[in-house]
Amino acid sequence: MPIPDYQSIMLPLLKLVADGGEYKLTNLVDTLGNQFGLTDEERAELLPSGQTFLFGNRVGWARTYLKKAGILDSPKRGIIIITQRGKNVLRQKPQQLNVAFLRQFPEFLEFQNTKKQDNDDLEPVAVLTQTPEETLEASYLSIRKALAQDLLDKVISLPPAFFEKLVVELLVRMGYGGSIKDAGKAVGKSGDEGIDGTIKEDKLGLDIIYIQAKRWKPGNIVGRPEIHKFIGALAGQGAKKGIFITTSSFTREALEYVPRNETKIVLIDGEQLAQLMIDYNLGVALQQTFEVKRIDNDYFSSE
């Protein structure tokens, strides 16, 4: 079954602590995972940021929402217990617990920063599959995807000479070539709508990487023949490492091709190029920063 959303976790979580005992949240995550029949792969699935387990995050937010509604409490770090209100809720034998149900409690409305008189005007929250963290990360990825496409469109529209400069600067920011000055000297003459040259692998120049770049429109896909030519060029230079960068994409045959000799090549398509530009702050400017913080339990722990 798919990983349940945090609202679907609320009632099973509350039932697990119904006896009034103190429970570790980490243990409850495992127990709930078993109840929902999650596989090891599903339990190990991460949020887009790769920093938090998706299911554990949803259990954590289910706990938070129930706590804000006065249904659960946390007497100690990582421990939860049911409150008298929580016991009363279970006596009602609800079919499900969700945000709409929790809005009957003033504490929860205050948590949502919603005035009680406005409660009746709110649309029913029947299905919310994402926690606030998931929503934030999904919004960030959507903004990043749109920015990447805008970047790629801009790069394609620029003159070949500017594209040459962009590729060199990107590789230097990634740690290759030593400096812009050294990298500029290392780059060879202009090729067909791109650059063909070499760049230092590190600041000391212990090895050389051969570069080929194709400033092609998305419809012109780089095929296996182009990769063959690139490998041939590497052999002609006596080089064993190469980077092939394109503003378009590669065919499956090109991506699956592996040289039989010791040559190592890296293929970077337009989408990856744009993402690297964002990661290394090339051609982009910081617009706004949001900091997501958590409580520092070590600060409040007794010595």
Side-chain angles (χ1 to χ4, degrees), residues 40-165:
D40 291 339
E41 291 75 16
E42 289 168 334
R43 295 170 194 249
E45 187 173 335
L46 299 171
L47 289 171
S49 64
Q51 301 297 315
T52 309
F53 291 111
L54 176 60
F55 180 64
N57 177 262
R58 290 182 176 179
V59 174
W61 275 103
R63 180 275 314 268
T64 296
Y65 275 47
L66 293 176
K67 181 180 176 182
K68 295 300 181 182
I71 292 174
L72 291 179
D73 195 10
S74 296
K76 292 181 291 186
R77 178 181 178 181
I79 300 295
I80 63 175
I81 61 173
I82 193 171
T83 64
Q84 185 58 51
R85 177 179 289 176
K87 294 177 180 178
N88 294 338
V89 167
L90 286 180
R91 291 194 187 101
Q92 299 175 26
K93 297 183 179 180
Q95 296 299 311
Q96 64 176 343
L97 294 183
N98 52 31
V99 171
F101 181 92
L102 300 182
R103 281 178 177 162
Q104 66 183 284
F105 303 113
E107 299 92 334
F108 187 76
L109 289 177
E110 184 178 353
F111 163 65
Q112 287 198 310
N113 197 26
T114 304
K115 294 181 180 179
K116 187 174 180 61
Q117 56 265 33
D118 295 335
N119 193 29
D120 295 336
D121 298 329
L122 295 172
E123 295 182 3
V125 184
V127 180
L128 288 179
T129 60
Q130 293 187 321
T131 66
E133 281 182 70
E134 291 178 78
T135 301
L136 180 62
E137 292 198 16
S139 298
Y140 166 74
L141 291 177
S142 178
I143 294 173
R144 182 179 172 117
K145 183 177 181 180
L147 173 60
Q149 185 58 58
D150 289 343
L151 268 176
L152 191 56
D153 292 341
K154 190 69 174 178
V155 169
I156 294 174
S157 69
L158 294 171
F162 193 94
F163 183 49
E164 297 175 9
K165 175 178 176 296

Side-chain angles (χ1 to χ4, degrees), residues 148-149 151-152 155-156 214 216 245-250 267-277:
Q149 185 58 58
L151 268 176
L152 191 56
V155 169
I156 294 174
K214 297 293 186 183
W216 286 2
I245 302 177
T246 181
T247 51
S248 61
S249 59
F250 298 96
L267 305 182
I268 299 177
D269 62 18
E271 181 179 349
Q272 291 173 300
L273 173 62
Q275 295 294 342
L276 287 171
M277 290 178 65

Side-chain angles (χ1 to χ4, degrees), residues 34 73 76 80 97 112 118 136 156 159 161 170-171 190 198 205 215 217 231 243 246-247 272 278 284 287:
N34 293 334
D73 195 10
K76 292 181 291 186
I80 63 175
L97 294 183
Q112 287 198 310
D118 295 335
L136 180 62
I156 294 174
L170 176 61
L171 291 173
S190 297
T198 58
R215 189 179 60 88
K217 294 182 179 180
I231 294 174
I243 302 175
T246 181
T247 51
Q272 291 173 300
I278 296 173
V284 297
Q287 177 177 334

Side-chain angles (χ1 to χ4, degrees), residues 193-214:
E193 291 192 347
I195 60 172
D196 295 297
T198 58
I199 193 169
K200 295 177 183 178
E201 183 176 13
D202 51 46
K203 294 182 178 180
L204 297 177
L206 295 176
D207 206 348
I208 299 297
I209 297 177
Y210 188 83
I211 308 165
Q212 188 164 16
K214 297 293 186 183

